[in-house]
Amino acid sequence: MAIPPKPTSMAATTSGGSVDGEEGIARRFWIKFRRESIFAMYTPFVLCLAAGNLKIESFRHYIAQDVHFLKAFAHAYELAEECADDDDAKVAISELRKGVLDELNLHDSFVREWGSDLAKEVTVNSATVKYTDFLVATASGKVDGVKGAGKIATPFERTKFAAYTLGAMTPCMRLYAFMGKKFQTHVDPAEGNHPSRKWIENYSSESFQASALQTEDLLDKLSVSFTGEELDILEKLYYQAMKLEIEFFCAQPLHQPTVIPLVKEHNPAEDRLLIFSDFDLTCTVVDSSAILAEIAIVTAPKSDQARPESQLTRMSSTELRNTWGLLSGQYTEEYEQCIESIMPSEKVEFNYESLRGALEQLSEFEKRANSRVIESGVLKGLNLEDIKRAGERLVLQDGCTGFFRKIVNSESLNANVHILSYCWCGDLIRSAFSAGSVNALNVHANEFTFAESISTGEITTKVESPIDKLQAFDTILKDYGEDRKNLMVYIGDSVGDLLCLLKADIGIVIGSSSSLRRVGSQFGVSFIPLFDGLVKKQKEYVEGSSSNWKGLSGNLYTVSSWAEIHAFILGW
């Protein structure tokens, strides 16, 4: 890509709001630990629960574990009520405790329906014990670095422990409220009356949603005068509760096949997992072309600065900034014009070859734009070391590095990672990943030409366009051969990735590029939220079958973060 249109920000919109100074601490924690809520959602047990086909044996075991957990929850509320100094807070906590007792009544209805009390018959598993012990310990004042509740002398200190207790309980309330609403959208009246439907109805109900909100409001109120140190303790308790919730769901036994995590069906001895990814705005927060231009501008001589005769002739920083501004503006304007010119007048049925023909025109545009950049001389005189340092400091999307690191460091996975990018300088990409200790990946990008570590302004072009990316994708597959079954995942964010996204077995769109969705939709491509797509596949999944992922279906899966990708492919 030469100089891309201004990207749509992905920052913190995935949880329904943005962080600002006016939001309460509970909301800020929920947004900050959005990653953990995603990993909880993408556990096999929760997916089956959402799909409405969780085996009754698994559901009964879960209910038995949940009874123990809810009893600890009710006890924790009781202890918090004792610590609260404010009468209104005491009343609010008492109401919340009654809500937990209502949940236990729901569980009792299952016991009556089944004719046996599994809570008495099933052994409490270690994940449940770990969670309940943490909850009761916190409510009893056993918080690291803080004196116990029994030694509390002042009303404020008692209120502080009530807040700590709420900090350990609020994430569970919010997570269940979130899941209840999410699962409700997947309930199909025609699919029978699975017992889990009562569970979904309860946690999606207005009364439970109100209880979750009330818990958060109470946490905000009780912690309003906290010091920075006390807020740090509260945050650690919230985070620990989120992690324990994931472990609780992971510990639930399943008696059925599931479509997640993706690697569960992967046999390293016979299969090959191929992960392809774009770089700019898929992995990065800022487009690399802007980074390279900024290096050129910052390191360029001033207008009145004397230059050694041996140095490459370069524009001054002022001239570079002006030239870059013109190139960038021209690209943006012409890009939009090109996009409009390749669009069919009406939406058409998905046809890969028709889309490819349209994107060949975009490919010609991208190459012309790159030629203008080279001819302008703006990339002349950059030092390779400056580029590498910039790469090391490049900010990548949250969770991106961790995902790739886990894949390349796994000796048993037999997975290969390929980065396909329009980036003008592959050294920038390699430095960015090396800084995160991700070295064993293959970079397919353009390259600067250097004379004694100084860029000449020329680019060795390899991947400039959608067609180039597709050709690189096909070449990589051909080089691997057919000695093993290849499962291909492509992750991208722009129109330039569209052909590869569709050809891969699984195409994942990250972010919210309007041009990608506009072009794709007009050419008959369907964009499906990944979790919704997985619920549908789980409903269709039967014993002995495979997930049946295949390319050229016209379906792409959308995510808002790398956490979703990680949870789907690798699990917790």
Side-chain angles (χ1 to χ4, degrees):
M1 186 180 296
I3 310 163
K6 185 177 180 180
T8 302
S9 173
M10 289 170 50
T13 57
T14 57
S15 49
S18 61
V19 178
D20 59 51
E22 296 181 359
E23 288 184 332
I25 196 69
R27 181 64 177 168
R28 282 182 285 175
F29 285 169
W30 173 250
I31 292 173
K32 182 169 184 177
F33 300 117
R34 172 70 169 155
R35 177 180 183 273
E36 281 64 38
S37 67
I38 287 170
F39 274 93
M41 287 276 290
Y42 278 77
T43 54
F45 171 82
V46 171
L47 182 66
C48 292
L49 190 61
N53 62 2
L54 180 68
K55 292 286 188 182
I56 193 65
E57 305 97 303
S58 297
F59 187 66
R60 292 178 69 179
H61 184 278
Y62 160 74
I63 291 298
Q65 299 299 316
D66 205 36
V67 166
H68 293 288
F69 173 71
L70 287 172
K71 287 179 178 178
F73 219 73
H75 183 46
Y77 271 138
E78 188 175 8
L79 294 174
E81 184 181 350
E82 292 175 5
C83 283
D85 182 59
D86 181 273
D87 288 342
D88 290 341
K90 284 181 177 292
V91 170
I93 294 172
S94 178
E95 290 177 356
L96 290 168
R97 183 172 179 272
K98 289 177 182 176
V100 177
L101 297 179
D102 288 341
E103 290 182 67
L104 283 168
N105 287 335
L106 171 67
H107 289 53
D108 285 342
S109 72
F110 289 131
V111 170
R112 291 191 297 272
E113 184 179 324
W114 296 330
S116 61
D117 189 352
L118 284 179
K120 296 178 181 178
E121 300 170 12
V122 175
T123 304
V124 185
N125 67 36
S126 60
T128 305
V129 172
K130 190 175 178 182
Y131 203 156
T132 55
D133 284 355
F134 160 75
L135 199 56
V136 175
T138 303
S140 303
K142 299 173 184 177
V143 177
D144 289 345
V146 182
K147 62 183 178 181
K151 302 176 183 178
I152 296 173
T154 68
F156 172 73
E157 287 177 317
R158 293 183 65 81
T159 299
K160 182 167 65 176
F161 265 95
Y164 287 155
T165 303
L166 266 290
M169 302 170 80
T170 300
C172 177
M173 294 290 287
R174 174 48 55 202
L175 181 62
Y176 272 61
F178 174 71
M179 291 194 301
K181 279 294 187 185
K182 183 70 176 175
F183 297 174
Q184 187 183 36
T185 63
H186 296 288
V187 172
D188 185 348
E191 291 179 349
N193 193 28
H194 191 282
S196 62
R197 183 169 295 184
K198 285 185 181 179
W199 187 98
I200 295 171
E201 289 172 353
N202 178 64
Y203 291 109
S204 63
S205 68
E206 291 306 314
S207 60
F208 189 84
Q209 297 295 315
S211 293
L213 186 59
Q214 186 179 10
T215 309
E216 291 175 322
D217 288 343
L218 190 56
L219 177 61
D220 293 343
K221 178 181 177 181
L222 294 177
S223 62
V224 70
S225 59
F226 269 22
T227 65
E229 183 179 357
E230 289 161 348
L231 287 174
D232 286 343
I233 293 172
L234 190 63
E235 181 177 316
K236 288 176 182 176
L237 292 169
Y238 192 106
Y239 176 56
Q240 179 68 5
M242 288 293 281
K243 290 198 300 180
L244 289 170
E245 195 70 67
I246 300 170
E247 292 177 20
F248 178 72
F249 288 134
C250 287
Q252 303 308 314
L254 283 176
H255 303 275
Q256 65 197 98
T258 63
V259 298
I260 58 172
L262 186 66
V263 294
K264 78 171 180 56
E265 288 187 348
H266 176 68
N267 181 350
E270 299 178 1
D271 305 333
R272 185 183 292 113
L273 177 62
L274 299 176
I275 306 292
F276 296 87
S277 177
D278 174 49
F279 183 67
D280 287 313
L281 302 181
T282 294
C283 297
T284 69
V285 173
V286 179
D287 193 274
S288 65
S289 59
I291 299 294
L292 293 168
E294 191 61 26
I295 297 172
I297 292 166
V298 169
T299 61
K302 306 300 180 187
S303 300
D304 57 353
Q305 186 176 332
R307 307 171 200 179
E309 291 183 6
S310 60
Q311 195 177 76
L312 278 169
T313 303
R314 297 184 68 187
M315 284 185 273
S316 68
S317 57
T318 301
E319 290 172 317
L320 271 170
R321 195 173 293 280
N322 291 337
T323 302
W324 180 254
L326 290 171
L327 288 168
S328 182
Q330 184 179 7
Y331 178 93
T332 300
E333 181 180 349
E334 293 184 5
Y335 178 88
E336 290 300 325
Q337 292 172 354
C338 186
I339 290 294
E340 290 302 322
S341 71
I342 66 174
M343 299 270 273
S345 56
E346 296 180 355
K347 286 188 177 182
V348 298
E349 289 188 9
F350 175 67
N351 183 291
Y352 188 77
E353 291 307 316
S354 295
L355 178 60
R356 174 174 176 154
L359 293 184
E360 284 178 353
Q361 298 176 52
L362 182 63
S363 295
E364 292 304 313
F365 160 77
E366 294 284 11
K367 292 183 178 184
R368 288 196 304 272
N370 271 350
S371 296
R372 283 200 299 265
V373 172
I374 294 170
E375 291 164 6
S376 73
V378 296
L379 301 178
K380 186 185 295 185
L382 278 70
N383 190 299
L384 178 58
E385 291 308 310
D386 288 338
I387 293 170
K388 289 182 177 180
R389 278 193 293 271
E392 291 167 359
R393 294 193 294 267
L394 195 60
V395 179
L396 300 185
Q397 298 282 358
D398 185 37
C400 171
T401 302
F403 170 72
F404 285 124
R405 187 190 300 120
K406 189 166 183 178
I407 288 180
V408 300
N409 289 347
S410 173
E411 295 180 0
S412 60
L413 196 55
N414 188 28
N416 297 271
V417 177
H418 294 267
I419 305 297
L420 274 60
S421 174
Y422 288 177
C423 179
W424 292 323
C425 183
D427 290 303
L428 186 77
I429 299 176
R430 287 182 280 271
S431 296
F433 282 114
S434 292
S437 301
V438 183
N439 297 302
L441 44 70
N442 307 280
V443 175
H444 310 266
N446 306 299
E447 304 287 351
F448 276 179
T449 58
F450 293 96
E452 298 181 353
S453 297
I454 303 298
S455 67
T456 65
E458 296 294 322
I459 300 174
T460 302
T461 56
K462 297 179 181 179
V463 185
E464 297 184 272
S465 69
I467 300 301
D468 287 350
K469 276 197 173 185
L470 180 61
Q471 289 174 345
F473 180 89
D474 288 340
T475 298
I476 292 165
L477 291 181
K478 185 177 179 182
D479 288 344
Y480 278 117
E482 298 180 358
D483 59 313
R484 298 184 180 208
K485 176 186 175 183
N486 294 322
L487 179 62
M488 302 163 286
V489 180
Y490 190 99
I491 306 156
D493 78 300
S494 71
V495 175
D497 300 306
L498 199 44
L499 294 174
C500 294
L501 283 165
L502 289 162
K503 195 164 187 179
D505 296 312
I506 304 169
I508 300 176
V509 176
I510 188 167
S512 54
S513 166
S514 58
S515 57
L516 169 62
R517 290 174 184 259
R518 201 163 79 247
V519 172
S521 296
Q522 204 69 2
F523 278 92
V525 176
S526 297
F527 294 91
I528 305 165
L530 178 59
F531 185 79
D532 294 351
L534 291 172
V535 169
K536 184 175 184 295
K537 277 194 169 288
Q538 186 61 46
K539 288 182 176 184
E540 299 167 348
Y541 201 21
V542 295
E543 194 85 44
S545 68
S546 67
S547 301
N548 195 30
W549 299 100
K550 60 180 180 180
L552 300 178
S553 66
N555 295 327
L556 296 179
Y557 298 92
T558 62
V559 299
S560 57
S561 70
W562 277 89
E564 286 191 75
I565 298 170
H566 189 138
F568 163 50
I569 296 176
L570 301 175
W572 171 241

